[in-house]
Amino acid sequence: MAEPAKSSPLSELRIALPSLPLRLQEVGRFVAANDYDATTRSMRDLAAEAGADPAAFTRLAKAIGYSGWDELRAALTEARRPSQTSPFSARAKGRRHGPNADVTLITDKLEAEAADLPRISAHAIADAARTLHGAKRIWITGYRSCRSVAELLNYELRLFRPEQVQIVGASGPDDLDLGAFSPGEAVIVIGFMPYTNASVRVAQAAYRAGTTLIAIADSVAAPMAEGADHVLLFEAASSPGFFPSLTGALAIAQSLAAVTFSLGGTAARKRLQDTEARLAAASTYVAEKG
């Protein structure tokens, strides 16, 4: 006989709610309504937003059968993880019916992504940008779909720091760049679930080399975020559609570039103007009609 499927941690929580003390019911409802935040934010941050004692989250976890908050958070994270064999098709829903079904899907997707953007931490991005400003060299990596985010960030930063910014593996095998990481530099790794082994290798090499590691990820539990000095979180899973959303990652990348440029002051502006002059001389862009 097949082993019965284990219920999800959210189901366990909702079933247990009526039997919990009133205060734990309030904390439990907060967790159930904010399960993404529960997997990505610290217990102290969650408690502040919920207006609760941080210890209440530990008591809640123990009340529903977990050893503590860390175990419950790990279970919530695992529950959000797609199947390794079907990370995208498992997200796909059947086509909706009705004359405006396609428009409704697009509207739902746009609304979900717009709702996720305010949850990105501006303070965390500003802190990471200050690190980039002081770094001797900036390495950037993103694999598969995250390559597009890495290339955008690389392009924007190279407009005013062309000699100091490089995509890992852009000029040869990745392992040559991994061996070139050194203290005083910054390594940016971008990824979301399912995570690539290559992104984890880059993060581990950065950590071993003593560089500053910046992870742009969908969870603090992301393997490429382990040991990171800065973790910049975006929501990938909440948007409807067969593929997770990169909107938050793109917003973080562009914000990093904007703040790093601002911190560069007059020198950064001069380098940007030099780049613009070179592009104009090469007739890179279509001339505007007067």
Side-chain angles (χ1 to χ4, degrees):
M1 181 180 295
E3 183 179 345
K6 186 180 186 299
S7 62
S8 74
L10 283 180
S11 295
E12 295 170 348
L13 176 58
R14 292 187 176 109
I15 291 171
L17 276 177
S19 63
L20 296 178
L22 181 60
R23 190 61 184 123
L24 289 189
Q25 286 186 30
E26 294 173 356
V27 174
R29 291 191 183 95
F30 175 83
V31 171
N34 299 274
D35 63 303
Y36 170 70
D37 285 349
T39 65
T40 59
R41 298 175 63 183
S42 71
M43 185 166 63
R44 189 172 298 277
D45 284 348
L46 291 172
E49 184 164 333
D53 183 342
F57 287 81
T58 299
R59 292 197 298 273
L60 172 68
K62 290 182 176 180
I64 62 174
Y66 292 86
S67 62
W69 174 250
D70 287 343
E71 186 181 6
L72 175 55
R73 187 173 78 167
L76 289 167
T77 301
E78 187 62 30
R80 295 174 62 86
R81 190 185 304 277
S83 164
Q84 284 290 91
T85 57
S86 56
F88 309 127
S89 62
R91 290 172 49 87
K93 304 292 191 299
R95 188 174 186 274
R96 304 181 189 187
H97 299 289
N100 296 314
D102 298 334
V103 174
T104 300
L105 173 59
I106 294 168
T107 300
D108 289 347
K109 185 169 178 57
L110 292 176
E111 288 179 351
E113 296 189 1
D116 290 334
L117 289 179
R119 301 164 79 174
I120 294 172
S121 171
H123 290 289
I125 296 173
D127 287 344
R130 285 189 281 271
T131 294
L132 295 183
H133 172 62
K136 295 185 297 185
R137 177 179 288 275
I138 300 170
W139 301 89
I140 308 170
T141 188
Y143 292 92
R144 303 184 71 82
S145 61
C146 291
R147 177 80 178 190
S148 60
V149 184
E151 289 182 342
L152 174 64
L153 181 55
N154 175 68
Y155 175 73
E156 292 194 21
L157 290 174
R158 283 178 60 85
L159 287 172
F160 59 94
R161 289 183 64 171
E163 300 93 354
Q164 301 165 324
V165 181
Q166 183 174 332
I167 288 185
V168 174
S171 59
D174 287 7
D175 59 278
L176 295 180
D177 288 340
L178 303 191
F181 294 168
S182 64
E185 299 178 343
V187 177
I188 302 169
V189 184
I190 306 159
F192 64 87
M193 187 164 34
Y195 309 103
T196 63
N197 289 316
S199 67
V200 177
R201 286 195 295 271
V202 173
Q204 291 173 342
Y207 183 78
R208 289 194 299 269
T211 66
T212 297
L213 176 59
I214 300 172
I216 300 176
D218 61 338
S219 170
V220 291
M224 20 75 69
E226 184 175 347
D229 300 276
H230 303 271
V231 180
L232 310 179
L233 296 171
F234 68 96
E235 170 62 274
S238 68
S239 177
F242 79 96
F243 201 83
S245 173
L246 282 169
T247 299
L250 289 165
I252 290 172
Q254 293 196 286
S255 298
L256 276 175
V259 178
T260 305
F261 173 75
S262 178
L263 292 169
T266 303
R269 181 178 293 275
K270 177 63 168 60
R271 290 308 304 268
L272 179 59
Q273 290 171 337
D274 291 344
T275 299
E276 289 174 326
R278 178 173 51 79
L279 293 174
S283 299
T284 300
Y285 300 117
V286 174
E288 295 183 10
K289 295 181 179 180

